[in-house]
Amino acid sequence: MNHERGARRMVGWLAFHLLVVLTPVAAAEVPEAYQAAWKAAAPQINANIERYRKGDAVISVVGADGQPLKDASLAIRQRTHEYLFGCNLFVLGQLATPELNRKYEQAFTRLFNFATIPFYWRELEPADGKPRFAEGSEPMWRRPPPDQLVKWCKAHGITTKGHALMYVKTKFMPDWIDPKDPARLKTLAARHMAEIAQRYGNDIAVWDVVNEEIPRLTRPEQWHRVPDDYLAWCFEEAGRLFPKQARLLINDGTSQSHVTTDLYEGLIKGLQQRNVRVEGVGIQFHIYNREAMLSGKLYPPEQMTAVYERLGRFGLPLYMTEITVNSTGEDGPARQGEVVANLYRLWFSTPAMAGVTWWNLGDGTAFGNENKALGGLVDENMDPKPAYQALDRLINHDWKTNLSTKTGAQGQAQFRGFYGQYTVEVASGGQTRQFEINLAHKGPSQFKLTFKP
């Protein structure tokens, strides 16, 4: 029975793989002005990818006697990316059939090494003092219990991100918390953050500490009332509660980041002046009017580049935290694919950008009316759309290093590759040995391998 199950899984994986690789990406009719703008940006994008996403490495191979091993054959294969390519994991195991759930997992693991886990307070603790952390908790759509998602990510080698530690927009808050009592909210928030930190502080690598602060300040009637020092206090508490290896982010909306950038800069500067642990800048990118982008009126590449340069001056890593591009309308999926490919090239080339997170992997898995945008990378059957195919080509082909070479007289071989973990297979004298190396942006660039017969 186990052999049959394994065989079915392999057949399913191969079928999905072939669907991704062999299905041609439909050509999209896009305005000439849009194409010209991105063509003009391409040389700098390509140069930055080469400069910031790759590094030089030297592999030295020695024999058991410590002497250089010349003319050894090396097969260098990149296994993982250092850069974080992510998506939210909100509907893991929640689709209508086992087949759809299987395809969802395959689509996720083929592209992504980074997963956003939901910590919306309303569904996480629907009753006071009774959080839904554990596997087997009452099922809720788009809100699986965090334990289940952390376990799955560990099993698949996926880095996790918690979203969001504090998000006090009223429609996302529990009914049992009074929206007009800031002092009581602060007491409950301290308990809430402490419970999460104790349970997940060592397992979840990145956190959105506060979500959408600028909208809260500009439209407070939609939010629970908070103390005057709310933003700084949240980061002070998180900095005290979470271990040093956890990265603490501020996260804000699309226009707030890209248009009212000065307001966002003010929040970040204020936190840094308070000497709290703000360790990354989150930037949302929900585009429901794709045609405005294609017209060149909305977020042309030069504007985006200028914004990321400004936000990068704080010396903090940037993260695209929530990405949606709609695929509605005539030729919608193909036009979505064109836009997505350009955006990801730009983000991958941005020096300060540490990761990008698509929001809803599949059509029909978004929040409420957002489903009308058809903003998934795969359709409702979990089959790849042109945008998924474009990202698969970039992440798994264009941006991965795989090569073969030989050691010279001194037993050395040099290569330049994308940052990530590699398998190096060394062949000499009719024998082969396999090694693992990690080429990291801030790690070693020289690796010594001892080949023992």
Side-chain angles (χ1 to χ4, degrees):
M1 181 64 70
N2 288 337
H3 291 296
E4 292 177 3
R5 187 181 297 114
R8 286 197 298 270
R9 287 176 179 169
M10 180 58 71
V11 170
W13 184 90
L14 288 171
F16 183 85
H17 175 85
L18 290 172
L19 185 61
V20 171
V21 174
L22 299 182
T23 303
V25 178
E29 293 292 334
V30 298
E32 291 184 6
Y34 174 85
Q35 296 184 49
W38 284 94
K39 184 177 180 180
Q44 189 61 58
I45 288 174
N46 293 336
N48 281 2
I49 290 174
E50 182 67 27
R51 179 179 179 183
Y52 296 109
R53 302 303 167 204
K54 299 173 76 174
D56 295 310
V58 177
I59 297 176
S60 299
V61 183
V62 299
D65 58 359
Q67 296 301 306
L69 193 64
K70 66 177 182 178
D71 293 328
S73 297
L74 275 60
I76 302 169
R77 302 289 180 261
Q78 186 174 357
R79 295 191 300 104
T80 68
H81 284 280
E82 178 180 82
Y83 196 87
L84 295 173
F85 294 103
C87 187
N88 82 44
L89 195 59
F90 291 2
V91 298
L92 180 75
Q94 293 194 333
L95 301 180
T97 67
E99 175 68 6
L100 288 175
N101 286 319
R102 180 187 62 79
K103 291 172 71 174
Y104 177 88
E105 292 188 31
Q106 289 176 343
F108 198 104
T109 55
R110 180 170 174 81
L111 287 191
F112 304 123
N113 59 3
F114 192 38
T116 297
I117 294 176
F119 280 84
Y120 297 85
W121 201 345
R122 172 180 285 271
E123 294 87 3
L124 189 67
E125 193 177 1
D128 188 3
K130 297 180 180 180
R132 295 175 54 255
F133 294 140
E135 282 192 90
S137 296
E138 177 188 357
M140 291 187 182
W141 174 241
R142 298 184 83 246
R143 302 293 186 263
D147 283 6
Q148 173 192 344
L149 303 188
V150 169
K151 179 181 177 180
W152 187 86
C153 288
K154 284 183 177 181
H156 292 85
I158 292 173
T159 301
T160 49
K161 175 174 177 280
H163 174 82
L165 195 59
M166 289 299 297
Y167 185 27
V168 296
K169 196 168 188 176
T170 298
K171 67 180 179 180
F172 295 113
M173 290 289 286
D175 292 332
W176 51 268
I177 299 179
D178 185 349
K180 298 180 180 180
D181 188 347
R184 178 62 176 159
L185 173 62
K186 191 172 185 178
T187 299
L188 294 172
R191 183 188 77 182
H192 177 68
M193 287 192 281
E195 289 177 343
I196 292 174
Q198 182 178 19
R199 193 175 186 104
Y200 300 106
N202 292 316
D203 289 326
I204 296 180
V206 183
W207 289 91
D208 292 328
V209 174
V210 173
N211 192 46
E212 298 180 357
E213 178 68 353
I214 295 174
R216 187 192 70 78
L217 293 169
T218 54
R219 302 194 68 177
E221 71 279 2
Q222 298 180 2
W223 299 71
H224 275 39
R225 288 178 57 190
V226 299
D228 292 340
D229 64 345
Y230 166 74
L231 179 63
W233 177 81
C234 288
F235 274 92
E236 288 169 354
E237 284 293 288
R240 179 180 64 84
L241 292 167
F242 283 84
K244 293 298 182 183
Q245 66 266 25
R247 178 162 286 176
L248 307 180
L249 274 58
I250 185 172
N251 186 49
D252 226 303
T254 307
S255 63
Q256 288 80 10
S257 305
H258 293 84
V259 179
T260 58
T261 312
D262 56 333
L263 297 180
Y264 203 18
E265 289 174 312
L267 294 182
I268 300 165
K269 183 177 180 180
L271 289 172
Q272 289 189 329
Q273 289 175 339
R274 292 282 292 263
N275 293 316
V276 299
R277 279 180 59 192
V278 54
E279 297 162 336
V281 177
I283 305 166
Q284 297 179 22
F285 199 82
H286 295 292
I287 300 301
Y288 299 107
N289 186 355
R290 183 193 62 243
E291 298 310 303
M293 283 204 71
L294 291 171
S295 73
K297 297 178 181 178
L298 185 66
Y299 306 136
E302 63 270 17
Q303 179 198 353
M304 296 173 68
T305 298
V307 167
Y308 305 144
E309 287 179 353
R310 286 175 60 177
L311 294 176
R313 291 172 190 153
F314 289 101
L316 302 174
L318 308 181
Y319 295 83
M320 303 305 301
T321 54
E322 305 176 24
I323 303 163
T324 304
V325 177
N326 72 307
S327 69
T328 56
E330 185 178 358
D331 203 23
R335 293 164 81 86
Q336 179 200 40
E338 176 84 9
V339 170
V340 167
N342 285 328
L343 290 171
Y344 269 70
R345 290 188 185 100
L346 186 147
W347 291 328
F348 192 58
S349 75
T350 300
M353 199 72 69
V356 292
T357 294
W358 192 263
W359 201 227
N360 299 292
L361 176 56
D363 288 343
T365 66
F367 175 73
N369 287 333
E370 293 174 4
N371 282 303
K372 295 178 181 178
L374 300 179
L377 296 173
V378 299
D379 62 23
E380 290 188 352
N381 293 320
M382 300 296 115
D383 292 326
K385 293 158 65 175
Y388 187 99
Q389 295 169 326
L391 293 187
D392 178 66
R393 185 169 57 248
L394 292 172
I395 294 169
N396 289 319
H397 299 278
D398 295 357
W399 296 338
K400 267 191 177 175
T401 301
N402 295 286
L403 56 90
S404 298
T405 186
K406 284 193 171 186
T407 58
Q410 301 301 314
Q412 291 187 338
Q414 300 181 8
F415 78 96
R416 182 170 177 80
F418 289 98
Y419 294 122
Q421 293 183 334
Y422 287 77
T423 295
V424 180
E425 186 175 271
V426 182
S428 180
Q431 296 183 320
T432 62
R433 298 290 182 269
Q434 191 166 288
F435 303 87
E436 304 291 328
I437 65 172
N438 182 27
L439 180 60
H441 176 60
K442 295 184 179 180
S445 60
Q446 299 192 27
F447 306 92
K448 184 177 180 179
L449 310 180
T450 301
F451 187 93
K452 296 181 179 179

